[in-house]
Amino acid sequence: MARILLLIGVQIIGVQIILAHLCSAAQTISLPEPPQVRATNHVVSLTLHAVNENGRDAFAFDGATVAPVIRASPGDVLKITYINDLPVKSRETCAVNRCMDMTNLHFHGLTVSPNAPQDDVLTMIAKPGEALHYVVEIPRDHPPGLFWYHTHPHGESHRQVLDGMSGAIVIEGLERYVPEVESLRERVIVVRGRSIDHDLNAAELRGDVEIPSKGCGGEAEAVEEIFTVNGAVRPRIEIAPKERQFWRVVNASADRYLDLQLDGETFEVVALDGMPLAYHEPKSPTRTTNHLLVAPAGRLEAIVTGPPPGTHSALRTLCVNTGPVGDPNPEMVLADLVQAGSGQSNTNAVRERAHAVDGRPPIHKQIDVEPLKKVAPSFTAIFTEDKNGFYINGRKFAMDESPMTSVRVGTYRHWRIVNRTGELHPFHIHQVHFLAYAENGVPLPHPAWLDTVNVPFGGTVDVIVDFTNPIIKGMAVFHCHLLNHEDKGMMAKILFK
């Protein structure tokens, strides 16, 4: 009888019961491992489809809606056929108007050309039924590390990335800078935001990830998103006591911050935003911290150690105060660490990566930035917003607009980003990295080379931008990486010449 009643209930409120089952099961599954695509004869070839599944946009690959991890080495070529199989008429609403289901790809953080058929987000765009053919050449001197790909159609990027259209890219060779990682078990961890605004199980999901009843910024709004880890809600990550693992974490959220903490343990940071710490500071290849704020689109690569026997530990994000008009960004549990195995199951994972070791010495790029810090900024980007949209230097982005600024390739430049709003904004520039060295005019305790940096509400960040790569010429963009803000105008063009 109970089984009959259950079947009747499923027929009546099937969606709600299925979601409840998935929610309760989420805490018992191990961390999912997405498929991986590797190079053959220095070419990484794959076909991605943009699809709509159960009302959410997604990447489809090899018969499943799980975005693959793309693994390449410096000197490889990415050949990606991207087919837009989204509906001709979308039922979703985007930042300003109803979505048109246009889509494209951005290879976030890769120092590659902004021109078609490479990392071009301005002219390469596919309508439903169309396809794009990317040929992305990874320079032979490209830094190794964690990068990611996501959709970037202006006006629709927030909706698509929030739905989960993102995946990780690994450029091999980090063991040249930190040899220990070669022998460690590697985990690629893609953290995405998931909207629960219209979810029938929103209250249960909030409870599952242990969101406190009170935030840290005095926000009045209800929490609209939770985080998933490799597509799962609060999975288990197996790690033996005292086992050291190499974690590569990307904040693939469309609009949420991660302040990562590992209960009772520390992160031994080896790279940020795909840039090994030793690339610019060979005498300081690692840095230890007990938590780290990772902007939307930011990446953390770190060695972690398994907690002592008999203790419970979790990977969590702490509450982030996004400002008086910012969105709630509460504390929550991302994953539980479980003590299973002996750590000897790493052999296969290490063997799979062994092909990337090429014996070349590491490349270091040390420059004297002190003179640049002493000169006035050559460009200032001012973030503002009002009820009608979001702006950089008083201008709202338009596809046919001329570049806001231009730079001569072969130079370093001092830029200042000014946030004249009441909320935290992450600044991102395509194609290049920069040294973030001061906040509100005060030197940072740990300057870092990044491609995305948080700009405090009502404050400033000073950066030294590296425009020296000769292959990066053409039109690119810089923008706020709260993609809802980018869609509503907080983006501008930059011409590399």
Side-chain angles (χ1 to χ4, degrees):
M1 179 64 72
R3 181 176 178 82
I4 293 174
L5 291 175
L6 176 61
L7 291 174
I8 293 173
V10 168
Q11 292 174 354
I12 296 173
I13 52 172
V15 173
Q16 184 174 4
I17 289 180
I18 289 171
L19 287 174
H21 171 74
L22 290 174
C23 174
S24 61
Q27 296 189 43
T28 64
I29 68 170
S30 294
L31 178 72
E33 295 189 6
Q36 304 200 26
V37 184
R38 302 173 183 274
T40 300
N41 297 323
H42 300 290
V43 176
V44 182
S45 296
L46 68 149
T47 298
L48 278 179
H49 294 257
V51 300
N52 188 279
E53 182 180 74
N54 299 323
R56 294 180 186 268
D57 295 338
F59 286 140
F61 170 75
D62 199 23
T65 51
V66 180
V69 176
I70 298 172
R71 305 192 77 106
S73 296
D76 287 351
V77 177
L78 309 183
K79 291 188 175 181
I80 302 174
T81 298
Y82 183 44
I83 302 172
N84 187 348
D85 289 328
L86 294 171
V88 175
K89 291 187 177 180
S90 174
R91 297 181 179 180
E92 295 190 279
T93 299
C94 285
V96 179
N97 300 308
R98 181 168 293 278
C99 304
M100 298 178 66
D101 279 350
M102 298 185 296
T103 191
N104 60 7
L105 296 177
H106 169 45
F107 304 97
H108 187 114
L110 291 184
T111 54
V112 297
S113 171
N115 298 320
Q118 301 200 54
D119 190 24
D120 175 11
V121 300
L122 294 171
T123 68
M124 291 185 72
I125 192 159
K127 298 176 183 178
E130 297 179 343
L132 298 171
H133 301 278
Y134 290 93
V135 182
V136 182
E137 300 176 2
I138 311 297
R140 285 192 57 80
D141 60 353
H142 198 289
L146 179 64
F147 304 86
W148 67 302
Y149 60 98
H150 62 85
T151 59
H152 207 295
H154 179 62
E156 307 195 39
S157 59
H158 179 264
R159 179 72 265 162
Q160 293 181 8
V161 174
L162 182 61
D163 278 356
M165 298 183 79
S166 60
I169 300 173
V170 173
I171 302 299
E172 308 279 15
L174 194 57
E175 68 282 343
R176 294 163 60 196
Y177 295 87
V178 186
E180 182 186 0
V181 303
E182 182 182 351
S183 63
L184 301 181
R185 180 170 187 173
E186 176 197 272
R187 295 193 182 276
V188 177
I189 299 174
V190 181
V191 182
R192 299 182 178 93
R194 170 179 159 183
S195 174
I196 58 172
D197 199 24
H198 303 291
D199 200 308
L200 297 174
N201 281 329
E204 284 188 56
L205 288 167
R206 292 188 190 101
D208 285 342
V209 296
E210 300 183 15
I211 295 178
S213 58
K214 187 177 180 180
C216 60
E219 306 90 347
E221 302 120 329
V223 175
E224 300 173 343
E225 294 182 32
I226 63 168
F227 287 112
T228 64
V229 181
N230 289 2
V233 178
R234 195 173 175 173
R236 295 179 292 112
I237 299 178
E238 294 186 359
I239 184 168
K242 297 185 179 181
E243 178 191 356
R244 288 167 67 78
Q245 294 185 358
F246 178 38
W247 289 11
R248 316 183 95 150
V249 186
V250 52
N251 181 357
S253 167
D255 54 8
R256 293 296 186 268
Y257 301 84
L258 292 173
D259 192 353
L260 292 172
Q261 176 182 281
L262 197 59
D263 293 348
E265 301 297 330
T266 59
F267 296 107
E268 189 176 332
V269 181
V270 301
L272 294 170
D273 285 7
M275 185 64 71
L277 301 189
Y279 187 82
H280 289 94
E281 297 289 342
K283 295 182 180 179
S284 303
T286 64
R287 174 166 71 88
T288 300
T289 183
N290 56 13
H291 75 100
L292 188 76
L293 181 61
V294 181
R299 284 90 68 209
L300 165 66
E301 295 174 82
I303 298 170
V304 302
T305 302
T311 62
H312 173 264
S313 184
L315 174 66
R316 68 180 70 241
T317 177
L318 305 178
C319 188
V320 179
N321 181 359
T322 61
V325 299
D327 294 319
N329 209 116
E331 177 182 348
M332 69 183 78
V333 176
L334 302 176
D336 293 291
L337 275 62
V338 296
Q339 300 170 357
S342 63
Q344 299 304 311
S345 60
N346 301 349
T347 306
N348 289 338
V350 173
R351 187 180 296 123
E352 287 178 0
R353 299 204 310 277
H355 77 283
V357 181
D358 58 16
R360 290 183 298 164
I363 298 171
H364 298 295
K365 193 172 185 178
Q366 295 174 275
I367 64 167
D368 183 7
V369 297
E370 294 306 315
L372 288 165
K373 294 178 182 179
K374 296 174 183 177
V375 301
S378 63
F379 179 74
T380 300
I382 303 173
F383 287 176
T384 57
E385 61 184 77
D386 59 27
K387 63 181 180 180
N388 297 314
F390 297 81
Y391 312 86
I392 298 179
N393 293 355
R395 291 163 58 178
K396 186 181 291 189
F397 179 80
M399 291 295 289
D400 59 355
E401 197 168 74
S402 59
M404 180 174 288
T405 188
S406 63
V407 294
R408 182 70 58 184
V409 174
T411 61
Y412 291 90
R413 288 288 183 264
H414 175 193
W415 279 25
R416 179 169 294 153
I417 301 91
V418 179
N419 181 357
R420 291 181 180 167
T421 79
E423 63 180 309
L424 189 62
H425 291 283
F427 167 83
H428 169 56
I429 182 169
H430 287 208
Q431 322 310 135
V432 300
H433 281 72
F434 50 78
L435 175 68
Y437 71 89
E439 183 176 299
N440 296 331
V442 178
L444 291 168
H446 300 289
W449 287 89
L450 308 168
D451 60 44
T452 309
V453 65
N454 292 314
V455 187
F457 49 91
T460 65
V461 167
D462 282 83
V463 300
I464 304 298
V465 193
D466 182 354
F467 293 119
T468 61
N469 194 323
I471 71 166
I472 299 173
K473 292 183 179 180
M475 195 76 74
V477 295
F478 56 94
H479 58 88
C480 172
H481 219 287
L482 299 179
L483 293 180
N484 187 44
H485 296 180
E486 180 265 301
D487 283 342
K488 292 180 178 179
M490 197 173 274
M491 183 164 74
K493 295 180 183 177
I494 176 173
L495 176 62
F496 300 100
K497 60 183 183 179

